[in-house]
């Protein structure tokens, strides 16, 4: 037993000796790991930087109209013994971020140098605590729609703006908006004027969304872009929503009274297939949808809106744009009194939307209600749950170009929303050539449809 204990003791002493030797060898490796690698001060082009040694960032603020394309490093202060891969006197294009590596012995740290111009931007703007403004920070304009009976001569202002900015008129001021009002915003060297215009309009103030396949409106195809830009500029309380944000949960469709899906014809099916359950849930729980152009395709087994889960069975066009030789519209005979046609010029039962001489892609999504399996209007209504509101340009009653799917109990305890489908080729916002004399008709029709869905 004593022999075993002695052997164990000797083995432990051997291990401890090896470990001690190992530590001693590391210390003699020649690596210098004790130096600090901080930037403690930096001046770029005469402007001192704000340094975050935890976040490894170097931020330089410059005047609003300063040219940052060529800035000279005036000075840089580092930890004792440290060096940087940028030298005093070096010129840098500060319109793009620049990496700075600080080295001390065998240790280094990477910082990111960025230059930002003094600026002021409005994030939100509201009147009387309920009328939201549409803000264009590029054009420096804010547009607010209010009801026809609103007293615009005395409205209380509230807003959120760049932190630290001073704005006049001040928040909570009572302002006369009978004419456009200039709000002066100042932050450091930035002094910017925003023009706020208040428009009396009969549009609903309910929250609305335009749904798009791209991250921003400017990236949309021409047709969807034209429609979205109009909505943001002319419809109160409107928001552009990209499908990626719907899919990620960043945006909740339930926050909107109605959504407008006006898609370019090549968008099928894209991300919509991944968000199909979200849109179906929105519809089931009372969400209202304006499905125009290729938006009408999704009322099938994607959104599961029509009873037979089928979309319009007669789809064509959209490949190229041709110049119209005659005006283009649709026939509404028998449906003239529907709210979506209020204040629209109806001539011999027809509404015209595009002038001859304009370009048009003839993108059509209509129902052939006399075809299998419908064999007529009653069969089509029974199988789809839809009601015809318009026929084609020629007035063929068997070609339904605009339809309504009324609210119904889809699941026990859930009353669905209302869906309008618009598949007439006359409903086209973008014309590459020509001047459309009927553009106001398109706009009024869309306002009517949006108001109808916001009831």
């Amino acid at each position: 037993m004593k022999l075993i204990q002695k052997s164990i003791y000797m083995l432990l002493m051997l291990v401890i000796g090896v470990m001690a030797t190992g530590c001693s060898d590391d210390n003699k490796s020649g690596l210098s790991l004790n130096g600090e690698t901080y930037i403690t001060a930096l001046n770029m082009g005469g402007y001192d930087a704000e340094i975050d040694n935890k976040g490894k960032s170097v931020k330089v603020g410059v005047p609003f109209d300063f040219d940052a394309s060529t800035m000279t490093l005036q000075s840089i202060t580092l930890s004792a013994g440290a060096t940087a891969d940028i030298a005093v006197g070096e010129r840098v294009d500060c319109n793009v971020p620049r990496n700075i590596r600080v080295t001390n012995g065998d240790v280094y740290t990477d910082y990111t140098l960025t230059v930002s111009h003094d600026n002021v931007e409005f994030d939100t703007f509201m009147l009387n605590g309920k009328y939201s403004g549409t803000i264009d920070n590029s054009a420096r304009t804010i547009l607010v729609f209010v009801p026809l009976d609103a007293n615009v001569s005395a409205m209380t202002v509230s807003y959120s703006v760049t932190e630290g900015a001073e704005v006049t008129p001040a928040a909570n001021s009572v302002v006369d908006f009978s004419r456009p009002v200039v709000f002066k915003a100042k932050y450091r060297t930035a002094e910017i004027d925003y023009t706020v215009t208040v428009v009396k309009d009969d549009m609903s103030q309910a929250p609305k969304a335009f749904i798009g396949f791209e991250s921003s409106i400017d990236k949309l195809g021409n047709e969807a872009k034209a429609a979205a830009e109009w909505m943001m500029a002319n419809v109160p309380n409107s928001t552009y929503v990209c499908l990626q944000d719907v899919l990620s949960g960043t945006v909740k469709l339930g926050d909107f009274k109605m959504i407008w899906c006006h898609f370019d014809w090549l968008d099928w099916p894209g991300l919509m297939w991944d968000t199909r359950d979200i849109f179906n849930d929105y519809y089931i729980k009372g969400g209202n949808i304006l499905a125009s152009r290729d938006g009408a395709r999704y009322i099938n087994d994607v959104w599961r809106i029509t009873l037979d889960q089928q979309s319009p069975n007669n789809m064509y066009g959209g490949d190229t744009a041709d110049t119209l030789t005659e005006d283009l519209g649709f026939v509404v005979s028998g449906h003239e009194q529907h709210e979506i046609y209020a204040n629209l010029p109806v001539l011999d039962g027809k509404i015209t939307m595009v002038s001859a001489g304009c370009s048009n892609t003839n993108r059509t999504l209509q129902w052939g209600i006399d075809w299998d399996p419908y064999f007529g209007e009653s069969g089509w209504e029974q199988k789809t749950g839809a009601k015809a509101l318009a026929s084609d340009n020629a007035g063929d009653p068997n070609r339904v170009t605009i339809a309504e799917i009324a609210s119904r109990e889809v699941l026990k305890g859930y009353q669905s929303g209302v869906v309008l489908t618009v598949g007439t080729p006359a409903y086209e916002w973008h014309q590459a050539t020509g001047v459309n004399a009927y553009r106001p008709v398109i706009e009024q029709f869309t306002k009517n449809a949006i108001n109808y869905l916001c009831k």
Side-chain angles (χ1 to χ4, degrees):
M1 177 63 86
K2 290 182 178 180
L3 181 60
I4 293 173
Q5 290 176 338
K6 184 177 181 180
S7 298
I8 293 173
Y9 173 77
M10 292 178 65
L11 179 61
L12 287 172
M13 293 302 293
L14 178 61
V15 170
I16 292 172
V18 170
M19 291 176 64
T21 301
C23 291
S24 177
D25 286 345
D26 282 345
N27 290 334
K28 295 178 181 179
S29 65
L31 293 174
S32 176
L33 305 175
N34 297 322
E36 293 183 336
T37 54
Y38 294 136
I39 297 177
T40 56
L42 183 145
N43 183 288
M44 181 66 71
Y47 300 95
D48 291 329
E50 178 184 329
I51 299 166
D52 181 356
N53 282 307
K54 185 176 181 181
K56 312 307 177 191
S57 67
V58 179
K59 299 179 180 179
V60 180
V62 298
F64 175 71
D65 55 355
F66 184 83
D67 181 5
S69 60
T70 304
M71 295 184 70
T72 302
L73 179 64
Q74 302 290 339
S75 63
I76 183 170
T77 305
L78 309 171
S79 301
T83 60
D85 63 353
I86 185 172
V88 172
E90 183 173 333
R91 293 187 176 186
V92 180
D93 179 1
C94 290
N95 285 325
V96 293
R98 203 272 198 198
N99 185 72
I100 298 177
R101 175 164 290 186
V102 179
T103 305
N104 199 341
D106 297 295
V107 180
Y108 68 85
T109 298
D110 286 332
Y111 287 80
T112 300
L113 167 67
T114 56
V115 170
S116 60
H117 292 79
D118 294 344
N119 195 16
V120 180
E121 290 190 346
F122 279 86
D123 297 315
T124 63
F125 191 94
M126 189 170 290
L127 297 179
N128 289 357
K130 55 184 175 180
Y131 306 125
S132 297
T134 300
I135 301 168
D136 187 336
N137 281 312
S138 298
R140 308 298 184 183
T141 60
I142 300 174
L143 184 64
V144 188
F145 290 92
V146 299
L148 294 174
D149 59 355
N151 179 16
V152 298
S153 63
M155 307 196 82
T156 304
V157 176
S158 61
Y159 49 75
S160 58
V161 70
T162 302
E163 185 177 357
E166 299 177 0
V167 181
T168 55
N172 299 317
S173 298
V174 177
V175 180
D176 181 357
F177 286 99
S178 300
R179 295 180 179 179
V181 177
V182 174
F183 278 64
K184 294 185 176 295
K186 181 178 180 180
Y187 175 68
R188 294 172 44 140
T189 63
E191 296 186 23
I192 300 171
D193 290 347
Y194 275 76
T195 301
V196 180
T197 303
V198 174
V199 177
K200 286 189 173 186
D201 192 271
D202 60 354
M203 288 296 296
S204 167
Q205 292 289 330
K208 316 161 193 70
F210 186 99
I211 308 297
F213 279 78
E214 301 294 342
S215 58
S216 60
I217 292 177
D218 61 292
K219 295 180 180 179
L220 294 171
N222 288 332
E223 177 61 24
K225 180 181 178 182
E229 288 179 338
W230 175 84
M231 185 180 189
M232 296 305 109
N234 294 279
V235 179
N237 210 2
S238 296
T239 304
Y240 175 76
V241 174
C242 70
L243 283 174
Q244 293 90 338
D245 287 343
V246 174
L247 188 60
S248 68
T250 304
V251 175
K252 306 293 185 185
L253 293 184
D255 291 339
F256 305 102
K257 179 68 173 179
M258 66 80 62
I259 59 175
W260 183 12
C261 298
H262 184 81
F263 301 144
D264 291 297
W265 78 282
L266 291 176
D267 291 331
W268 175 269
L271 278 177
M272 187 58 77
W273 184 259
D274 298 326
T275 60
R276 60 197 296 262
D277 290 337
I278 300 174
F279 278 77
N280 178 253
D281 183 72
Y282 172 75
Y283 166 69
I284 286 174
K285 294 179 179 177
N288 304 303
I289 304 173
L290 175 57
S292 54
R293 198 171 167 90
D294 276 62
R297 299 179 72 174
Y298 297 93
I299 63 174
N300 61 357
D301 60 340
V302 179
W303 292 342
R304 287 153 279 172
I305 290 175
T306 49
L307 295 179
D308 60 356
Q309 297 194 9
Q310 296 297 314
S311 51
N313 58 358
N314 190 201
M315 296 185 286
Y316 55 87
D319 298 275
T320 57
D322 296 317
T323 301
L324 293 174
T325 57
E326 60 180 18
D327 295 344
L328 185 63
F330 51 87
V331 174
V332 297
S333 294
H335 307 287
E336 293 90 340
Q337 301 309 310
H338 196 285
E339 292 179 44
I340 65 173
Y341 301 135
N343 302 314
L344 293 181
V346 181
L347 182 61
D348 296 329
K350 186 175 182 178
I351 294 175
T352 302
M353 282 190 167
V354 187
S355 302
C358 289
S359 62
N360 185 272
T361 66
N362 199 41
R363 184 58 177 158
T364 304
L365 293 97
Q366 64 187 10
W367 272 282
I369 63 175
D370 55 334
W371 298 348
D372 182 14
Y374 305 126
F375 303 113
E377 186 173 4
S378 62
W380 171 73
E381 290 180 350
Q382 184 179 10
K383 285 183 168 59
T384 63
K387 292 285 186 181
L389 296 182
S391 56
D392 63 7
N393 185 62
D396 183 349
N398 288 315
R399 299 295 172 262
V400 176
T401 57
I402 299 177
E404 177 180 0
I405 303 168
S407 175
R408 65 178 186 269
E409 188 178 55
V410 229
L411 293 175
K412 188 174 182 180
Y414 289 102
Q415 196 73 19
S416 78
V418 176
V419 177
L420 291 174
T421 67
V422 182
T424 168
Y427 191 68
E428 191 161 288
W429 287 83
H430 174 73
Q431 281 86 40
T433 59
V435 177
N436 186 12
Y438 296 100
R439 170 71 179 233
V441 178
I442 293 179
E443 295 177 356
Q444 185 61 53
F445 170 81
T446 308
K447 286 184 176 182
N448 291 344
I450 291 173
N451 275 342
Y452 182 70
L453 294 173
C454 285
K455 290 173 57 179

